[in-house]
Amino acid sequence: MAASLLVGGAAGVGGAAAWNEWHPAGSDSATASPSGRTTSQVVDTPATEAADHSVEQVAAKVLPSVVKIEVTGPQEAGSGSGIILSSDGQILTNNHVVELAGDSGKISVSFNDGTSAAAKVLGTDPLTDTAVIQAEGVSDLTPATIGKSADLKVGEGVVAIGSPFGLESTVTSGIVSALNRPVDVGSDGQGNSTTYPAVQTDAAINPGNSGGPLVDLDGNVVGINSSIRTTGTSSASEESGSIGLGFAIPIDEVLPIVDQMVKGETPTHARLGISVSDVAAKAGSGAEVTQGAEIQDVSAGSTAANAGLAKGDVITKVDDTLITGSDSLVATIRSYRPGDKVTVTYDHDGSTKTAELTLDSDAASSNS
């Protein structure tokens, strides 16, 4: 240890001495030796105002509205990110970030100014992977500005902010790679899938970014960073990082859910009243429906049953959205609210049919 300290000290002194030899103190111009050799000069970097719609300007606006969330549960611990919704500490994040706490764990929030506070859960919704927590004893926070995910275009610039691998206040940038990408990240305790029509981005999103904002270049929140696609080569003790395939929950789809959680209500979701699977490959020749969601079961009294949909029918479109499989249908229906009217296009015994129906609610069966 003594030898290491001595070596380190010597290297530090030598480095400083060399720097002084190359760059005389107080000089901002290159120096020349008798042989004509010049050396690098040290200059001041002028302070310039951030350009409009630049990542620098977006970061300055949004960073005060992003928090790091640390969760300690009975069996494990983890961290994530969150978005400040109110000056008194309501914070939006992912359900999978806070669920580690269980009924007896602890949640703490670290703010951009270096302060921290304990927090409690106000509400969770496993089906949209969202949660709202309340930081305790805080005031005068900077709420984020909420934008519209419906206005996003493929190719436009976006910025992701959060705490990847615990490194709080990390800013990354990229573009919108795709919209309405069906992402299935698991299921709730009742077997209902957590599937949403995600905003795909190549902005670097890593473990710990979950719950943080994806913002447009006006600094408005358009999504909640939630999941990434990995190569599947990481070991059990090593978390995979970004490969440029990150996914965010569109903010438009979850704002009604957030309002319900803030009010202490049980979140509700739209439903057709059917169970579906991907279209099974069929032997034989002739034209076949190869994409869509094939109905496996129809609940009695549901809006689908009342509209005449039956087992074996294949749903291919909801309004103007093409349905490519079961996840696609679930994600699309989740983008609506109970009571919304939709037009469903489906294949029935080789014939294309349409049905106009009003979406049901899962209020009677949901206990999330």
Side-chain angles (χ1 to χ4, degrees):
M1 179 64 73
S4 297
L5 290 172
L6 288 172
V7 170
V13 172
W19 178 261
N20 288 330
E21 178 183 350
W22 296 336
H23 308 281
S27 172
D28 62 357
S29 60
T31 58
S33 67
S35 64
R37 173 175 172 268
T38 61
T39 60
S40 299
Q41 59 179 317
V42 178
V43 299
D44 289 330
T45 303
T48 57
E49 216 172 293
D52 289 343
H53 308 295
S54 66
V55 174
E56 180 185 359
Q57 186 182 66
V58 169
K61 175 182 177 179
V62 181
L63 276 169
S65 303
V66 182
V67 302
K68 176 182 177 181
I69 300 173
E70 294 180 285
V71 182
T72 303
Q75 298 179 334
E76 55 184 326
S79 66
S81 306
I83 306 163
I84 297 175
L85 297 178
S86 68
S87 61
D88 62 352
Q90 289 179 353
I91 296 168
L92 174 62
T93 186
N94 284 138
N95 175 68
H96 76 258
V97 170
V98 300
E99 68 179 349
L100 295 177
D103 295 328
S104 59
K106 296 181 179 180
I107 301 173
S108 65
V109 175
S110 299
F111 300 98
N112 185 245
D113 63 0
T115 61
S116 60
K120 62 181 180 180
V121 175
L122 290 182
T124 63
D125 183 41
L127 291 189
T128 57
D129 194 18
T130 53
V132 176
I133 62 176
Q134 175 71 57
E136 300 176 337
V138 297
S139 61
D140 299 325
L141 302 180
T142 304
T145 303
I146 306 300
K148 286 186 67 66
S149 51
D151 293 338
L152 288 173
K153 302 290 188 296
V154 173
E156 77 170 90
V158 286
V159 175
I161 301 178
S163 303
F165 296 104
L167 301 172
E168 58 191 289
S169 303
T170 294
V171 177
T172 58
S173 65
I175 62 168
V176 175
S177 303
L179 295 167
N180 299 315
R181 183 76 76 193
V183 171
D184 183 348
V185 293
S187 62
D188 66 5
Q190 298 174 314
N192 299 306
S193 67
T194 300
T195 305
Y196 47 85
V199 178
Q200 182 181 326
T201 179
D202 66 350
I205 296 174
N206 286 288
N209 271 113
S210 290
L214 186 73
V215 300
D216 60 23
L217 294 185
D218 289 315
N220 303 325
V221 178
V222 291
I224 307 164
N225 300 320
S226 184
S227 60
I228 60 175
R229 184 70 177 267
T230 67
T231 59
T233 58
S234 62
S235 66
S237 61
E238 180 184 17
E239 290 185 291
S240 297
S242 172
I243 58 171
L245 295 172
F247 303 97
I249 303 167
I251 197 66
D252 294 359
E253 321 300 354
V254 297
L255 283 180
I257 301 292
V258 172
D259 288 340
Q260 289 179 312
M261 288 189 286
V262 167
K263 294 175 182 177
E265 300 172 355
T266 298
T268 57
H269 315 86
R271 60 184 297 177
L272 283 170
I274 58 177
S275 61
V276 294
S277 65
D278 292 340
V279 177
K282 299 177 182 178
S285 58
E288 294 179 359
V289 177
T290 58
Q291 291 194 94
E294 184 172 354
I295 298 176
Q296 299 299 318
D297 184 61
V298 181
S299 299
S302 67
T303 188
N306 294 337
L309 276 71
K311 179 179 180 179
D313 292 346
V314 177
I315 297 176
T316 57
K317 187 185 293 186
V318 175
D319 288 337
D320 294 326
T321 302
L322 292 175
I323 303 302
T324 57
S326 57
D327 283 348
S328 175
L329 178 62
V330 173
T332 299
I333 295 300
R334 291 270 167 81
S335 70
Y336 291 90
R337 294 297 299 153
D340 286 349
K341 297 182 184 297
V342 298
T343 299
V344 174
T345 303
Y346 63 101
D347 178 84
H348 177 80
D349 291 336
S351 300
T352 299
K353 296 188 175 185
T354 60
E356 295 185 0
L357 46 83
T358 301
L359 293 174
D360 292 333
S361 171
D362 66 353
S365 59
S366 175
N367 59 4
S368 58

